[in-house]
């Protein structure tokens, strides 16, 4: 059956609607950028709900009430089996996991019955029950009873399996880890004998793909303790995962997900660009490109930038793997960025943030791909250099793996280049290094601790009092009630003088840290007492937490206090509104591809990270700064309103990538009074702002630098901070002008003349050094050469010569003496030069200089014709020179 893009979106929504009808909260997907310190990426639907599996009150900011039943369509990324992606029918790096969860509410009977209903009812999926099979844990008789007696699955279509297949975490009973765990029930779909092999007799058998697991139901009911003891948990939970890609393949009758509208737009575009038709599993490169471009697009959209470590390194690695497969298909120019459009065609309606970030993501991918293509070209030279310097006939497997992991240079190409020289590559060492890297990367797949225990104080407070009411948009002071006092991990009955703790107030004028804006500080006052508020944060339950230190008196729960925000908030607001203006100016001057990638808004400065492939030119910075200041001087109004997310998108509101937005959002508009159709800036933002742009005063950009590939950072000052900066700069400029004996406006001319004089002096010094070196090497003739191993050579120790002059002297002496090899030393420096004749007979400057340097406690290397080294003990240079005949004899013998 053929499925359209709209059908796929309906299928995803149908799942959520089914469980909404079962009184579940349909909760948004978490970002791929995981907040969990044990994970690089969100790797399963349950990740964002860990606290609630441990008993925390399932109350979610922005949603009224407590929800013990939740359902999601979660974006996930795993790289555990990255080598299998594209080669098998089932593996993907990015995937969607449909899930329904129960936090101490329903258990096996409801979870199993509802899963069966969704899959078999004609109102929902309408799959043939005769093609569905169930697996259970080996001794889970309760699950067997549920499936046979309550759901009605025939016993002959239920099979029992051990802890490696049907327990979560796998093998937890015998191997651990300790903590919450439980048996699983998995639902398999029989795709028919045409997809299988003769050795398949049911789920988890044979080598074919006839029986495919589509839904895993985890029954978290035990606490695993030392020795493999399974103690019942006080709260039984449900955690299910229905793989969306597999479900789409089943529902369409396709061979696998690559042959469905989830991937076909990208695969067809690759086939068009390469003139190489897609041929299913044989077209590995088509499939890898389609999978990886999708993963990269989602990751960057969620704020994970390519980098050299952590989650960013995974993104870079995926991008380079995809680029290499494009290279194998004959594409020599950047192409991956152009495939983002196809990913959006397949996924954009379900994830509109992809549409919002289209140009930003394209720009970042293109920059990275251009860099890698240069790396791939340069990699050939890199490998050649390593092989030139190799001692022996085998290249280390770790070196080969580092070429792939660090530079993206593939093993097969390394092996091919090595074989041309009769050199082998240590494959076993390569596999060992790769396995070490995979063990580390398993952290992104949920290999770390599954749960971190903690008391549910905040959930109980939120359940009792609701979310904190924020009145700080219009008020800087407020009378409030102390709802709770919190220590390190417990509720407190009081806070006395000099004690610190966290306070929950309602209402509060304090803005909690968020959206780049720092949390407010200030003071609390009450009859007979007072406290400093040093920071303000917001909990996942929607509570504003005030970090305080009591200065006098005693603070008690239930007490009425006067909450006063520090006046520095005004300066923070100036910087926050200036950040919005800066964002708009960057897009106006540089282009619409610019999008926010992070920010910091404080009373004394702002920092703004944004997507852009190149450093800003001086004239661009001036144009951006000038545009912002014109908007400030225009004194535009700054207004805000709460609107539906769809209305905000329709008005073109800018959104922070990787941020989770609810149905209603706060939209901040600058310059609506100029022309409602041409506002200066429209952004979704929960922060505090000035009322008119004129209050900002001015904006000064003080620095611009790279954060990572495709991401730049601007730091700027506004308000009082800008005035202070100008005054300090004026003071230092005046002092410098005084020292140089000129007026401030003559500084540039004076410094230019000093630089010219300095360069002239440096040239004179260089010329004198060259003459000194020439004087110390003049007179060498062929008759003064020495021989060893069939090579003619000469050496000399010179005084007071730098590296550049030493290399030039070696060139001159090699030509003058007609030797095969020249070695010169000066101080702690060594330089070796080998002529064409010497190279042809096996002399390698890098190898020779390395052996010489060892004898003087140093090291170095280089090319076959020229090499340089440094030594620790210059007194041993003559001793090192005396070993040269022995080294040349060994070269001749090899």
């Amino acid at each position: 059956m053929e499925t359209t893009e709209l059908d796929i979106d309906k299928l995803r929504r149908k799942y959520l609607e089914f469980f909404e009808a079962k009184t579940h909260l349909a909760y948004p997907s978490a970002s791929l950028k995981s907040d969990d310190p044990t994970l690089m990426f969100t790797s399963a639907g349950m990740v964002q709900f860990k606290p609630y599996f441990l008993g925390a009150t399932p109350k979610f900011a922005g949603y009224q009430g407590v929800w013990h039943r939740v359902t999601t369509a979660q974006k996930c990324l795993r790289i555990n089996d990255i080598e299998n992606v594209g080669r098998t029918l089932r593996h993907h790096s990015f995937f969607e996991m449909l899930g329904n969860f129960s936090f101490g509410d329903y258990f096996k009977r409801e979870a199993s019955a509802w899963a069966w209903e969704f899959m078999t009812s004609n109102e929902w999926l309408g799959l043939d029950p005769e093609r569905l099979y169930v697996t259970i844990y080996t001794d889970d008789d309760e699950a067997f009873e549920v499936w046979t007696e309550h759901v009605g699955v025939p016993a002959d279509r239920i099979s029992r399996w051990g802890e490696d297949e049907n327990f979560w975490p796998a093998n937890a009973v015998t191997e651990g880890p300790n903590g919450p765990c439980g048996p699983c029930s998995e639902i398999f779909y029989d795709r028919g004998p045409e997809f299988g092999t003769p050795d398949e007799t049911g789920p988890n058998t044979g080598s074919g793909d006839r029986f495919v697991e589509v839904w895993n139901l985890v029954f978290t009911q035990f606490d695993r303790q030392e020795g493999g003891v399974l103690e019942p948990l006080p709260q039984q939970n449900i955690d299910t995962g229905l793989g969306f890609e597999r479900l789409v393949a089943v529902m369409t009758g396709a061979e696998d997900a690559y042959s469905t509208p989830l991937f076909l737009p990208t695969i067809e575009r690759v086939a068009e660009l390469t003139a190489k038709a897609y041929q299913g599993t044989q077209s590995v490169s088509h499939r890898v490109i389609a999978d990886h471009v999708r993963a990269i697009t989602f990751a960057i959209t969620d704020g994970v930038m390519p980098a050299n470590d952590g989650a960013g390194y995974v993104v870079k690695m995926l991008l380079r793997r995809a680029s290499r497969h494009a290279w194998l298909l004959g594409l020599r120019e950047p192409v991956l960025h152009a495939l983002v459009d196809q990913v959006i065609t397949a996924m954009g309606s379900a994830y509109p943030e992809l549409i919002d970030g289209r140009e930003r993501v394209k720009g970042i991918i293109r920059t990275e791909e251009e860099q890698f293509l240069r790396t791939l070209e340069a990699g050939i030279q890199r490998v050649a250099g390593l092989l030139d310097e190799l001692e022996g006939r085998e290249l280390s497997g770790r070196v080969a793996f580092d070429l792939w992991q660090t530079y993206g240079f593939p093993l097969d190409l390394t092996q091919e280049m090595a074989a041309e020289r009769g050199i082998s590559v240590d494959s076993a060492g390569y596999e060992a290094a790769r396995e070490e890297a995979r063990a580390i990367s398993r952290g992104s797949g949920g290999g770390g601790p599954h749960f971190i225990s903690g008391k549910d104080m905040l959930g109980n407070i939120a359940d009792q009092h609701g979310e904190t009411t924020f009145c700080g948009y219009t008020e800087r002071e407020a009378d409030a009630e102390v709802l709770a006092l919190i220590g390190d991990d417990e509720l407190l009955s009081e806070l006395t003088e000099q004690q610190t703790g966290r306070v929950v107030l309602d209402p509060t004028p304090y803005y909690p840290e968020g959206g780049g804006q720092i949390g407010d500080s200030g003071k609390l006052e009450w009859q007979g007492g007072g406290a400093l508020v040093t920071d303000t944060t917001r909990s996942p339950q929607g509570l504003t937490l005030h970090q305080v230190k009591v200065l006098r008196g005693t603070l008690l729960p239930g007490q009425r206090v006067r909450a006063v925000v520090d006046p520095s908030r005004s300066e923070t607001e100036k910087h926050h509104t200036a950040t919005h203006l800066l964002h708009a100016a960057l897009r106006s001057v540089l282009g619409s591809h610019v999008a926010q990638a992070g920010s910091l808004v404080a009373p004394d400065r702002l920092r703004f990270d944004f997507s852009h492939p190149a450093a800003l030119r001086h004239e661009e910075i001036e144009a951006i700064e000038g545009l912002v200041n014109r908007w400030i001087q225009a004194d535009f109004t700054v207004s805000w309103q709460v609107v539906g997310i769809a209305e905000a998108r329709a008005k073109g509101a800018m959104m922070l990538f990787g941020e989770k937005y609810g149905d209603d959002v706060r939209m901040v508009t600058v310059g609506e009074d100029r022309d409602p159709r041409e506002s200066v800036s429209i952004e979704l933002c929960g922060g505090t702002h000035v009322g008119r742009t004129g209050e900002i005063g001015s904006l000064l950009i003080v620095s611009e630098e790279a954060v990572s590939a495709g991401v730049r950072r601007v730091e700027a000052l506004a308000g009082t901070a800008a005035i202070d900066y100008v005054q300090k700069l004026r003071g230092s400029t005046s002092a410098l002008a005084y020292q140089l004996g000129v007026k401030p406006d003559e500084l540039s001319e004076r410094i230019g003349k000093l630089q010219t004089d300095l360069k002239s002096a440096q040239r004179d010094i260089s010329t004198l050094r060259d003459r000194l070196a020439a004087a110390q090497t003049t007179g060498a003739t062929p008759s003064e050469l020495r021989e060893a191993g069939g090579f003619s050579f000469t050496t000399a120790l010179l005084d007071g010569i730098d590296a550049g002059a030493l290399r030039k002297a070696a060139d001159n002496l090699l030509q003058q003496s007609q030797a095969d090899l020249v070695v010169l030393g000066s101080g702690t420096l060594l330089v070796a030069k080998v002529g064409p004749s010497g190279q042809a007979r096996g002399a390698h400057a890098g190898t020779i200089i390395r052996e010489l340097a060892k004898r003087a406690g140093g090291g170095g290397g280089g090319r076959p014709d020229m090499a340089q080294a440094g030594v620790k003990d210059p007194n041993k240079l003559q001793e090192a020179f005396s070993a040269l005949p022995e080294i040349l004899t060994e070269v001749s013998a090899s």
Side-chain angles (χ1 to χ4, degrees), residues 206-260:
S207 56
D209 293 290
R210 173 175 177 174
F211 298 92
V212 58
E213 176 206 336
V214 291
W215 206 337
N216 185 15
L217 283 62
V218 179
F219 309 129
T220 312
Q221 64 185 100
F222 297 117
D223 179 12
R224 198 254 190 204
Q225 300 179 357
E226 287 300 326
V229 176
L230 299 180
E231 292 289 342
L233 284 170
Q235 172 181 297
Q236 296 178 327
N237 304 306
I238 291 294
D239 164 21
T240 84
L242 172 58
F244 189 60
E245 285 73 17
R246 295 186 185 183
L247 178 62
V248 171
V250 166
M251 296 301 294
T252 59
E255 180 182 28
D256 59 14
Y258 292 103
S259 300
T260 73

Side-chain angles (χ1 to χ4, degrees), residues 780 782 808-819 822 833 835:
K808 187 176 293 186
D811 280 331
N812 293 335
L813 187 56
L814 185 69
Q815 182 178 7
Q816 176 183 321
S817 67
Q818 300 178 19
V822 167
K833 297 284 291 189

